[in-house]
Amino acid sequence: MNFKLTDKQINNLVSIVLLNYNAGELLSDCIESIFKTHYDNYEVILVDNASTDTSYKKCKEKFNEIHLIENKKNLGYCEGNNVGIREAKGQYVAILNPDTKVEPNWLDELVTAYKKHGDALYQPKILAFENKIFETAGNMLQIFGFGYPKGRGELDSNQYDVPGKIGYASGACLFTSMKVLNKIGYFDPFLFLYHDDLELGWRAAQRDIQSLYVPTTTIYHLASYNLKWSEQKFFWLERNRHYCLLTHYSKKTFYKMLPALLVVEIMVIFFYLIKGFGKAKLRAYWDIIKNLKKISKKYSELESKKIVSDKKLIIDFPDQVIVPNFLTNSFSNKIFNSIISKLSKIVKKIL
């Protein structure tokens, strides 16, 4: 690595921000893979979110080159990463989860893609650990605020090897420039975690900055190493989905969508009750109600900066939602998508 930051180096430097919270040995494995990177102009910023294990201390001892920041409390995914971004010296920023491993060419390919396509949010091909099963070939944003990973659970047989536009770049490995982040803003601290990458990608799209998929390099990811599919995770997902709907759509758009949103809401409530997560859903509602002033302020901020209209953006939003098989059976998924697809098409017509 190069540590004497000349003007030339700063102009090509990639600041890799790693946010850690009790990742254990996964963190060490991740950093070890980073230090095998071919691209030789990068810095590693490790932000620890008040972990109770000693993983980050061991990594600092093993990899003294890293810049370690120790937060006094758990700031969540969003603000935790923001702490690292504020310390970044590079032209580019790579947000990387600690439960990942990277291929040696990852930064070469992402930097090349950026120089070719310009200001955007980028993500590589993301596969599960130790096999060729897709975690995501690009995340998709659905009109009712749901996000899902394209290709998840499929065997990688080169079916997603074409680069292109996606709904939003995965927070497991998100690459962009400081120029873009300074324009659109960093992660929204209110979200704490989950839907953070969706919100950022949606906000970027409103400012006419696309999200792009780069399949010429791969990272390997162990998804949700902390919360898995828990009641707490469902709380964050639903609370933050409603937050995005209330802040990212104009009031005119939202009210036109409201009948369809109510039907979707009934289906989501039914799903939560079946899963035994009814309390999580109620908590999500209550948290939104408690924070209506913050939501109103955020809404006004986003509306004042919006360049691309809701109507134009939702043209590219998929009508269906791909739900993982372990969350619901294929029959329920078929019914859900049949209804939600029809509602999506109706909304797109009335807008």
Side-chain angles (χ1 to χ4, degrees):
M1 286 183 61
N2 297 319
F3 293 98
K4 295 179 180 179
L5 300 181
T6 64
D7 289 341
K8 182 178 179 181
Q9 288 172 326
I10 291 172
N11 288 338
N12 292 282
L13 179 69
V14 179
S15 298
I16 303 168
V17 177
L18 267 173
L19 179 66
N20 176 63
Y21 181 68
N22 294 327
E25 291 299 319
L26 292 170
L27 178 63
S28 179
D29 293 343
C30 175
I31 295 177
E32 190 169 340
S33 73
I34 289 173
F35 277 89
K36 295 176 182 178
T37 298
H38 293 158
Y39 190 89
D40 65 355
N41 192 20
Y42 63 89
E43 62 173 351
V44 178
I45 302 170
L46 173 60
V47 182
D48 185 74
N49 244 351
S51 295
T52 55
D53 68 11
T54 58
S55 55
Y56 64 99
K57 293 181 179 179
K58 291 179 180 178
C59 284
K60 177 61 178 176
E61 292 173 1
K62 185 176 180 180
F63 308 102
N64 187 53
E65 305 97 317
I66 64 176
H67 175 28
L68 175 62
I69 302 172
E70 298 180 55
N71 291 334
K72 293 182 179 179
K73 64 178 182 178
N74 185 352
L75 300 177
Y77 177 90
C78 295
E79 187 57 21
N81 272 307
N82 289 345
V83 169
I85 293 170
R86 293 187 193 103
E87 290 294 313
K89 299 181 179 70
Q91 176 184 1
Y92 304 107
V93 176
I95 305 296
L96 192 66
N97 277 11
D99 57 339
T100 59
K101 293 180 183 179
V102 299
E103 290 189 334
N105 72 336
W106 73 300
L107 286 184
D108 290 292
E109 295 299 326
L110 291 168
V111 170
T112 297
Y114 193 104
K115 289 184 175 180
K116 180 179 180 180
H117 300 289
D119 293 349
L121 304 177
Y122 295 82
Q123 77 149 83
K125 179 187 294 186
I126 302 179
L127 303 180
F129 265 24
E130 299 177 355
N131 60 33
K132 291 189 174 183
I133 301 297
F134 268 101
E135 280 290 328
T136 174
N139 288 359
M140 306 305 292
L141 171 58
Q142 205 268 349
I143 192 170
F144 299 119
F146 300 105
Y148 67 89
K150 185 168 66 175
R152 185 169 189 176
E154 296 181 28
L155 180 68
D156 180 18
S157 54
N158 305 318
Q159 73 272 40
Y160 296 115
D161 277 2
V162 178
K165 185 179 177 181
I166 55 178
Y168 60 100
S170 170
C173 182
L174 189 156
F175 181 90
T176 190
S177 67
M178 281 302 302
K179 174 186 174 183
V180 166
L181 289 176
N182 287 333
K183 180 177 181 179
I184 66 175
Y186 301 170
F187 290 106
D188 188 337
F190 177 81
L191 297 176
F192 197 74
L193 77 165
Y194 295 123
H195 270 355
D196 36 73
D197 45 7
L198 179 151
E199 192 278 334
L200 186 72
W202 196 345
R203 185 168 12 116
Q206 292 176 333
R207 304 293 300 278
D208 202 23
I209 293 176
Q210 296 184 345
S211 295
L212 300 175
Y213 172 60
V214 182
T216 50
T217 188
T218 303
I219 74 159
Y220 302 90
H221 182 222
L222 181 65
S224 298
Y225 72 94
N226 264 317
L227 288 179
K228 306 294 181 183
W229 285 97
S230 65
E231 181 174 350
Q232 184 63 20
K233 180 171 182 175
F234 276 107
F235 160 75
W236 289 118
L237 287 171
E238 270 303 278
R239 187 198 78 145
N240 292 345
R241 181 175 71 88
H242 283 287
Y243 175 80
C244 289
L245 290 171
L246 291 167
T247 56
H248 287 59
Y249 283 131
S250 70
K251 285 184 170 62
K252 182 180 178 181
T253 300
F254 186 84
Y255 290 133
K256 283 185 176 182
M257 291 176 60
L258 191 55
L261 283 169
L262 290 174
V263 175
V264 172
E265 199 61 21
I266 291 170
M267 291 192 293
V268 173
I269 290 171
F270 185 65
F271 170 82
Y272 268 63
L273 291 175
I274 289 176
K275 292 295 178 182
F277 294 154
K279 288 183 179 179
K281 184 63 172 165
L282 289 174
R283 285 175 56 218
Y285 285 141
W286 178 238
D287 211 74
I288 289 294
I289 292 169
K290 286 194 304 181
N291 288 285
L292 285 177
K293 285 186 178 179
K294 288 183 179 179
I295 290 169
S296 178
K297 182 179 179 182
K298 188 67 177 183
Y299 168 83
S300 298
E301 176 190 332
L302 294 185
E303 280 297 301
S304 68
K305 296 177 180 178
K306 190 181 290 184
I307 295 174
V308 183
S309 68
D310 296 336
K311 184 175 181 178
K312 185 176 180 180
L313 279 183
I314 67 168
I315 292 173
D316 294 329
F317 288 3
D319 295 316
Q320 296 190 335
V321 179
I322 306 301
V323 181
N325 291 331
F326 58 84
L327 284 181
T328 183
N329 60 56
S330 58
F331 180 71
S332 298
N333 198 9
K334 187 176 181 180
I335 294 175
F336 175 77
N337 267 311
S338 175
I339 297 173
I340 207 170
S341 180
K342 289 176 182 178
L343 291 172
S344 175
K345 290 172 183 177
I346 291 171
V347 168
K348 287 179 180 180
K349 284 182 180 180
I350 65 176
L351 290 181

